[in-house]
Structures are given as structure tokens and as C-alpha cells.
Amino acid sequence: MFRTALRNVLAHKARLLMTTLAVLLGTAFVAGTLVFTDTLGEALKNSSARSFSDISVAVTDPAADAYAGAAQRNRRGPALTEDVLRRISAADGVAGARGVVTGFAGVADRAGALIGDGWSTTGTNFAPGAGGRDPRYPMAEGRGPSGPGEAALDAATAAKGGLRVGDTVRVAVNGPVMRLRLTGVFRTDDPRVSSGGSLVLFDTATAQRLYLSPGRYSEIDAAAAPGTSETALLGRIEGLLPKGGALKAETGRRLADDQAAQIARATDNLSTALLAFAGIALFVGVFLIANTFTMLVAQRTRELALLRAVGASRRQVTRSVLAEALAVGVAASLGGLAAGVGIAVGMRAVMGATGVDLPDGPLVVTPSTVLVSLAVGTLVTVLAAWLPARRAATIPPVAAMSSAELPASQRSLRVRNSLGAALAVLGAAAVVYGASTGGSAGRTPVAAGAVLVLVGVFVLTPLLSRPVIALAGPPLGGAFGVSGRLARRNAVRNPRRTAATASALTVGVTLISALSVIGASVGAAVDRAVTDGMKADYMVSMANYASLSPEVARGIAKVPGVSAVSPVESVPLRLGGRSQEVSGVDAAALGELVEVRMRSGSAGSLAQGRLLVRADVARERGWRTGSAVRAAYPDGSRARLVVGGVFEENALLSEAVLAGRVLDRHVRQPYVRQVLVKGADGAGPALQRALRDATGDNPLIKVEDRDGVRASFSGKIGFLLNLLYGLLAMAVLIAVLGVVNTLAMSVFERRREIGMLRAVGLDRSGVKRMVRLESLVISLFGAVLGIGLGTFLAWAVNGTLRTELDGLTTVVPPATVGYLLAGAAVIGLLAALWPARRASRLDVLESIKAA
């Protein structure tokens, strides 16, 4: 039986081609994901390890970290100063120590545009040792900076900006642009640079002035003398640190291990996300595989019945079909593994071509990647073929005397429809319950219900196909005559086959339509929340979401034509014993810049030093206008604040609001997330240009009007959706292969019928038209089903998000629906090209004689 199975695979290799391609593509997605993430992770780990190679012990000040939160930045206590650096340098077992200062620094190219991503544009200090060199940053050209008007750049950034030693380079932190002379270009393995960022070197005094304060460091790195272990040196240095502070000392090995763990978590998350889409592609492939083997079994009814008649048992027939699936799965998985390695290389090249620089490193293909890829492809193929194999075993020996395909029994269809209806109803009930519950409590019912609904609808698809496709009968018959009527009848003749073909496309369309509806709904809600609550003409903020310098607001206030300005600070306070995010604003200007809808009290009470509280927080904490609230400020001082009013949620404001002058007395470094600006004559190009000039034309600072704010939010959502659409493209491609395969096998199966049609007068163009219209109807049926399912599931997901996004309503973008239907129609027509051509070229007499 095994030899028979192999002969069948070779005999039907053309019919199994699409199945092999589907498994190959899905396996290639899995293998490519694993190889790419393993390669990326290994390269990042190696690059990170090199950056810790000369550090035995590192002492850090969390409050001095550019990425630190407001609470850490405003902590009072011991800091890393010159005195601490001198004591560590003089400690027994220390070969050398250096102070490090780090923060954001954007570099502009010759056109004034930011080089690199705002998140990874970094500045640090040049700390030369003996000979005037810093071993961390060996100079390829020139020298390191030695004064406030100088800077050095990494080689990659200098090349991107077309900058050379001696040029004037424009560098920005969080205020006006500095024009510095480029004194040197250096080489570095810093992972921030190797991943596409930029690195600027300042002299130490300049870096301290820009990021901290004179004589203060964010980190001190110490190297151990020969014969001194990292652990021993750590103990000595910890004894030198000021008591009672938050300064933290760790060994270089521990830092490298922690960094490696972070990289592993990040690459694991990336791998999980990509594998989820690979799973979707394989799930779509299951429909193609099952459909192919179902049709092969139906076409080989006489052959399988003859095997039964000459003594083969049911188990042997089942094993024979599964052996065919195993052979296909192994061959396709091997091809998919090879293609996956190519995909990983291609992904790396594409990311490099789009400006995303990745660390250099060898391609990593682990044994686990090989085993997982082969196992996944093979198991998916065998499992998808299991039901057709079981069905093959039920063919009675007497069928050897008949040439007809055995139709599915009415009992089996009734059982299938009953099971599908039960699953769909149960799933829909769970989805509706979860959507009405909302919040995190409703997400589990929605997720579980969505799975049940999808499975139930797929099981019910044969039943649904008849009435839905019947609606296409009159238009097809009226527009295309005999070919249209035949196409509709062919589409509903075998509902199981139509269902399996359409379901593959339905999966992709369901996900795409659900993502589109969720994206449109969230985008509309965010748009309303931001623009409806914003009365200001402009919003000024950092591209990297860092804090704006307080000088920015003061400079903007001096611009002619500006009628109101307010920085919006963000500070965590302890209110009533619990941490709450508080916005600090200019009390006098707030009413002109933000639409504050009060439920009780008055926004004017801010000027009296009172607290405004968001309605949901007030309800949760039991506060109302006039309530007294205990407050603890970042500097350790305490006060008793009175609630002056309760306001409705506003995207521009935090959970509570205080006058900025009240917060500034207790906050050393306020986090200014944005500055709101109102023009005396409204928005205009002249005012926007003046605002840019007031910010020093800083490439890191954005000056956006309302349309710009709206576009910024919609652009982020659009980018995410496009990324997800791209990842779903593999599933759609496999669905197209499924349509092509089903039609091609259907044409082979209906050779006699097509020959008879040709004999009674249907010409070749009529046959082509019939096959194309059949494909079009099936594809549109799958798309309509997917759009309906996707919209329903998106509505449920939106229900769980309403507690977090006020005013969220389900928005179905008509353009997206139109694109999906048009795309399905194009897919159907393209998928039918080869089967239609093949059908039209069948020999009439040979087809009529076909058994």
C-alpha cells in the first residue's frame, strides 16, 4: 500500500502542485521567521556584549537616565558626582574609571531633516584618557570634541548626512538647534547605531550642561585591574557609594546578561507575532489541502473501491491516503525550509534598503528551526488529509463497478449543519456577552466566542452557499446567458467543494476587514478626542516623545501673533495614597487652549491652586467638588489639595490637573510633553514658520496644527494596518492557490460534461466564460462572508475597548469594503485564467469518452 501511495503521488503530481505550494509557502513563513529572529537576536547580543567588554562594574543613577520617568528625575538624594568618580578611580583594584552622560540628540542633514529615528538619536560625552583618546570611540578621521562648540559623529550618521570633518553640523537636544563644528568621525559597535540610530559626542562639560548639571554623571564605568574579579570590585565600589540613595552598582557580566535577556524577550515577541501570521497562512492552507485530497478521493472512487474488492482493509486505504499526504508534506516542508532561509536573507536586505540598519552577523539556522519547520509542514498536511482519508476508507467495494462520484449523504450534511449551527450560536452568544461586558473582563469571552463563530460558520458554509450564490443567478443569467447560468449551477452543485474553496479566502478577508473596521473606529475616536478637545491652533512636541525644554514655551510666548501659550507638564503625584498622573498647565490660558467640559465645579479654580479630577477617577476614588485630598510631591513635601472641579475625559489632559506654578515649586525637571499655542488671528503658514524659528528649527521638535495632529495619529494607525495587511498577504496568496487548484481539478473532473456542452454548441469562449464566472461567484461569496464576520468581530472588539477609549463607535469604511469586494473579484478572475484556458482546449471526443 505504501508503494501504491507513492505511485499515486507521482501519477497526480500536477494536481498536487498547488497543495505542495501552499505547504511550502506556509512552512517558508515559519522557517523564515525563526531564522530571521535567531539571526537578529544573535547579532544584537554580540553587538551588545562588545559594548560591555571593557566594563567590570557600572554605577548608574536612575534619576539621570534620559529614559527615566518623572518620579525618578525629580527624586532628591545622592547623585553621581565628580567626587564619587574620584573615589571610585582611586579604589583598590580599579584600573580606570570614566563618567558617562547620555541623552537624546538629533542630527540634521544638509536639508535640515532628522537623520535616523527619533528614539535612537543619542548623545553622550567624549571621555579621553591618556593620549587624548577615548577607547570606546576610535576616530576614523579627525579628533574628539574638546569644547562647547565642537562635536563628533559616528561614521554611519556622517555618511547619511553627507557631513565631513570641519563642516558645521546642526545638533538639537530639546531646545534650539546648536551649530557645532564637526571635529571627528568615529567607528563604533554601539547597538543604538548599528540598529539605525545616530550617536553624537560632546565634551563632558557640554554633555553635563545639556542633559544633567555641571559635575554630574548618569553612569560611572570602572575597569578591574589584573587579578581583581568583577564580584570583588563590585563589593568595594558599593562601599564607596553614598548611603540611602538610589544609586545602583552592577557587574559588567550582569549588565551584559540583562541586556541579552532583554534582546531575547524582544526577539521572542517579534517571533511570536510573525509566527501568528504564519499560523494563519498554514490554517488557510488546511482548506486547500483538505479540498485537494477530497477531490482526489472522489476522482479515484473506482480505484479505491477496487483495492477494497481485492482485499485491502479500510485501515490500509486510510493509511495509503495519509502516506500520500506525508510524502507531499515532507517534500513541501523541505522546499519551505530552503525558501525560509532565503526569506530571512531577503528580509534583512529589505530592512537595510529601507534605512533600518541591523548589526552584522552570520546567518543562524539552528537544529530546532529545521525540526520545527519540517514538523509543522508535515503535520499540517497529514492532519488536513485525515478526514478525506477516512472518507476514502468508507468507499464500498461495489463502487468499483460504477464510474460516478459518490455524493455525500443527506445524513452527513444534516449532522454537519446541526453542529455548525450549534457552534455559531454558542460563539455569537459569547461574543455578544463579552462586548456588552466590556473592558478586560469581556476580552476572553470575545476571543473564545470568535473562534467558535469562525469554526461554526466554516462548518455551515455549504448550507450558506446555496442561498447566497442563488442571489447571483438572475444577474449572471441576464448578463452572460447560458455561461452565467451554468456557472451559478456549477458553484452550488457541490456545496462542500464550494465551501472549502471559499473558506480559504474568507479567513483572509475576515481578518483584513476586522482590522480595517477596528482601525477606522479607533482612528475616528482618537480624532474626535484630540481635535474636539483641542482649541489651540498648534501643538508643539518632541518627535521622540522626550520632554521639551521649558525654554521652548518661553520662546514661543514671545512670538508676535501668539495670544495664549501653555506647556502641558506630566508629573506623577501620590494623591490620597495612590499614584496618579497629573497635568500641569497655565491656569490663565487653559480655557483658550483646551475644551474642558466640567461636570461640576469650575476650571477657573485652578488659578486658586485647586485640583481638577477626571470624572472616572473621581467616581473610582469617591471624590467630588470640595473634597480634600492628601498630596505627596516628588520632592517629598506634602500638602492638602481641594478638588475644585470634575471634568470629562480629554486626550490632552491626564487623570488630574493642577496649575503649573504649583507643581513647579516641587519639581526639579518637569516633563513637558507638549506646548499648546493659540494665535491671535488663528492658524496660518506665517505663524507656523515663526513657531519653528522660535524652537530653533529643531528637527526633533514638531509644530503641528489640528490637521497635522490628526494626520499624525491616523498615520500611525495606517502604518500599523499596512504592516498587518502585508503579513496577511501570504494567507491571501495561499487562498488564491486554493481557488486555482479547485477549479483546475473541477475541470478535470467535469471533462465529460464540458465535452457534451461543446458538442451541443457551446464554443470555447463560452466555456472560458463559464469557468471564470464560477470562480468569480465563489470568490465573491467568500469575500461577502468574510466582510460580515470581520465586521461582527470588530464590533465586539470595539465593545471591549470602550472603557479605555471614550466615544468609540464602530465605523465600517465603505471604501475598504469596496476594495475587498473588488479585490476578491480580481482574485477570482485571475485564479480562473489557467483552468478556463485548459477547459476550453479539451478535445470534445476524448472528453465525452472520459470515464
Side-chain angles (χ1 to χ4, degrees):
M1 294 299 293
F2 183 71
R3 289 195 298 272
T4 301
L6 290 180
R7 282 197 294 269
N8 282 327
V9 170
L10 295 175
H12 301 110
K13 53 183 178 291
R15 302 183 213 177
L16 290 169
L17 175 63
M18 297 300 175
T19 297
T20 304
L21 282 176
V23 179
L24 187 150
L25 290 173
T27 306
F29 203 157
V30 173
T33 294
L34 295 175
V35 172
F36 176 72
T37 53
D38 286 346
T39 300
L40 177 61
E42 190 65 23
L44 288 173
K45 288 177 186 176
N46 291 339
S47 177
S48 175
R50 286 193 293 270
S51 65
F52 293 107
S53 61
D54 61 342
I55 299 175
S56 301
V57 175
V59 184
T60 56
D61 180 2
D65 189 347
Y67 304 89
Q72 289 178 317
R73 283 194 299 272
N74 293 289
R75 172 184 57 79
R76 301 288 185 183
L80 291 176
T81 61
E82 290 286 353
D83 180 59
V84 177
L85 176 59
R86 281 193 296 269
R87 279 187 280 143
I88 291 177
S89 299
D92 185 30
V94 174
R98 61 172 176 261
V100 179
V101 184
T102 306
F104 290 113
V107 182
D109 60 18
R110 294 187 181 277
L114 179 67
I115 301 175
D117 184 358
W119 278 105
S120 53
T121 53
T122 311
T124 190
N125 64 313
F126 179 71
R133 298 175 181 174
D134 188 334
R136 297 174 300 170
Y137 308 113
M139 291 292 159
E141 299 178 51
R143 59 172 176 82
S146 58
E150 298 179 345
L153 289 178
D154 68 272
T157 301
K160 290 176 184 176
L163 301 169
R164 297 184 178 182
V165 173
D167 288 349
T168 297
V169 58
R170 299 173 70 245
V171 180
V173 181
N174 61 351
V177 170
M178 300 175 290
R179 287 170 172 78
L180 308 174
R181 190 168 72 89
L182 186 61
T183 63
V185 174
F186 59 90
R187 297 183 297 271
T188 179
D189 290 326
D190 192 302
R192 292 167 295 192
V193 175
S194 58
S195 60
S198 62
L199 182 59
V200 186
L201 298 184
F202 306 99
D203 69 284
T204 298
T206 299
Q208 289 173 332
R209 175 176 57 81
L210 290 173
Y211 298 124
L212 299 170
S213 57
R216 188 179 173 195
Y217 297 98
S218 52
E219 181 177 326
I220 294 176
D221 297 334
T228 302
S229 68
E230 289 188 352
T231 305
L233 187 60
L234 175 65
R236 295 170 191 169
I237 289 178
E238 285 180 330
L240 299 174
L241 299 180
K243 304 300 181 183
L247 302 182
K248 184 178 181 181
E250 290 183 293
T251 64
R253 170 54 57 192
R254 174 64 182 273
L255 291 172
D257 291 343
D258 289 346
Q259 187 72 22
Q262 290 180 15
I263 292 170
R265 285 193 295 270
T267 52
D268 284 348
N269 291 336
L270 175 63
S271 178
T272 300
L274 293 175
L275 287 175
F277 286 92
I280 292 170
L282 286 169
F283 179 65
V284 173
V286 166
F287 292 97
L288 193 162
I289 298 165
N291 205 19
T292 300
F293 278 95
T294 297
M295 296 180 72
L296 283 175
V297 167
Q299 293 170 12
R300 290 160 49 199
T301 298
R302 292 184 66 187
E303 173 191 331
L304 295 172
L306 187 59
L307 287 174
R308 292 291 315 283
V310 297
S313 66
R314 289 189 174 188
R315 181 173 297 179
Q316 286 178 310
V317 172
T318 300
R319 288 176 178 173
S320 174
V321 176
L322 290 178
E324 296 177 32
L326 179 65
V328 171
V330 170
S333 298
L334 288 171
L337 177 61
V341 174
I343 288 175
V345 174
M347 288 174 67
R348 194 168 177 176
V350 167
M351 293 184 75
T354 55
V356 181
D357 296 328
L358 299 176
D360 292 331
L363 197 68
V364 178
V365 183
T366 63
S368 62
T369 295
V370 175
L371 292 175
V372 168
S373 301
L374 294 178
V376 166
T378 304
L379 286 176
V380 165
T381 308
V382 172
L383 290 176
W386 183 72
L387 282 178
R390 289 290 304 273
R391 194 173 295 123
T394 62
I395 295 174
V398 71
M401 296 183 293
S402 172
S403 62
E405 174 187 339
L406 293 178
S409 67
Q410 291 300 314
R411 180 178 178 277
S412 68
L413 288 175
R414 283 196 300 270
V415 171
R416 175 173 180 154
N417 294 338
S418 300
L419 177 62
L423 290 173
V425 170
L426 183 61
V431 167
V432 172
Y433 169 75
S436 60
T437 302
S440 57
R443 287 170 193 161
T444 299
V446 167
V451 173
L452 291 176
V453 167
L454 287 171
V455 174
V457 169
F458 290 152
V459 174
L460 279 175
T461 306
L463 179 66
L464 297 173
S465 64
R466 289 184 180 276
V468 175
I469 294 178
L471 297 175
L476 286 177
F480 302 102
V482 173
S483 295
R485 290 192 292 273
L486 288 172
R488 185 194 68 81
R489 290 173 183 171
N490 288 334
V492 298
R493 176 193 300 177
N494 191 330
R496 288 178 182 267
R497 181 188 304 152
T498 298
T501 307
S503 294
L505 193 58
T506 298
V507 174
V509 175
T510 297
L511 294 171
I512 292 174
S513 58
L515 289 173
S516 300
V517 172
I518 292 171
S521 304
V522 171
V526 170
D527 182 37
R528 286 193 301 271
V530 173
T531 57
D532 290 356
M534 179 177 167
K535 295 168 68 175
D537 295 315
Y538 291 99
M539 178 189 292
V540 182
S541 61
M542 295 288 287
N544 56 12
Y545 305 102
S547 173
L548 283 163
S549 168
E551 296 294 330
V552 172
R554 287 193 281 270
I556 288 174
K558 299 175 183 178
V559 173
V562 171
S563 61
V565 177
S566 175
V568 180
E569 302 174 2
S570 181
V571 179
L573 300 187
R574 289 196 68 80
L575 298 176
R578 189 188 306 176
S579 181
Q580 302 278 179
E581 195 74 23
V582 178
S583 292
V585 297
D586 186 324
L590 181 63
E592 296 184 62
L593 300 169
V594 179
E595 185 69 50
V596 185
R597 299 181 179 88
M598 303 299 298
R599 292 195 178 181
S600 65
S602 169
S605 62
L606 278 176
Q608 303 166 14
R610 297 196 171 189
L611 180 73
L612 300 185
V613 182
R614 201 170 66 198
D616 59 327
V617 175
R619 183 170 54 252
E620 179 189 354
R621 306 293 297 274
W623 296 337
R624 58 180 60 87
T625 300
S627 296
V629 179
R630 290 179 291 106
Y633 292 102
D635 62 357
S637 61
R638 300 178 181 276
R640 200 170 186 81
L641 297 175
V642 176
V643 176
V646 177
F647 65 94
E648 294 182 4
E649 182 173 0
N650 187 301
L652 299 176
L653 301 175
S654 300
E655 301 166 331
V657 183
L658 263 178
R661 60 179 177 81
V662 175
L663 284 174
D664 291 345
R665 291 198 294 265
H666 307 281
V667 177
R668 287 185 301 149
Q669 292 178 289
Y671 174 73
V672 181
R673 62 183 180 186
Q674 59 208 16
V675 174
L676 301 177
V677 185
K678 184 77 171 178
D681 299 321
L687 179 57
Q688 188 169 22
R689 182 68 259 174
L691 294 176
R692 290 191 184 280
D693 291 340
T695 62
D697 205 14
N698 188 331
L700 277 174
I701 295 180
K702 300 185 296 182
V703 180
E704 299 174 311
D705 58 12
R706 292 191 189 185
D707 289 339
V709 174
R710 181 183 293 112
S712 179
F713 279 102
S714 62
K716 293 171 188 174
I717 294 173
F719 173 79
L720 179 60
L721 288 177
N722 290 334
L723 178 63
L724 296 176
Y725 293 155
L727 292 172
L728 287 172
M730 187 72 76
V732 175
L733 176 59
I734 292 175
V736 173
L737 294 177
V739 178
V740 174
N741 193 48
T742 301
L743 288 174
M745 296 186 72
S746 177
V747 165
F748 178 82
E749 192 175 88
R750 289 153 40 198
R751 298 190 311 281
R752 176 181 291 180
E753 172 191 327
I754 293 172
M756 291 295 294
L757 289 173
R758 291 291 312 283
V760 298
L762 188 65
D763 58 13
R764 288 188 173 183
S765 62
V767 172
K768 286 183 179 179
R769 194 179 305 116
M770 175 187 71
V771 176
R772 289 170 184 165
L773 291 175
E774 180 183 349
S775 176
L776 177 66
V777 167
I778 293 174
S779 297
L780 286 176
F781 167 63
V784 168
L785 205 58
I787 291 171
L789 279 171
T791 303
F792 174 63
L793 296 180
W795 167 81
V797 171
N798 287 341
T800 66
L801 297 175
R802 286 193 185 100
T803 56
E804 300 172 10
L805 194 55
D806 191 44
L808 179 64
T809 56
T810 300
V811 177
V812 181
T816 301
V817 173
Y819 291 147
L820 288 173
L821 291 174
V826 170
I827 286 173
L829 293 174
L830 291 177
L833 288 178
W834 178 56
R837 186 172 183 274
R838 182 182 179 188
S840 67
R841 290 177 175 272
L842 289 175
D843 183 89
V844 176
L845 294 179
E846 290 295 329
S847 299
I848 292 174
K849 290 192 301 179

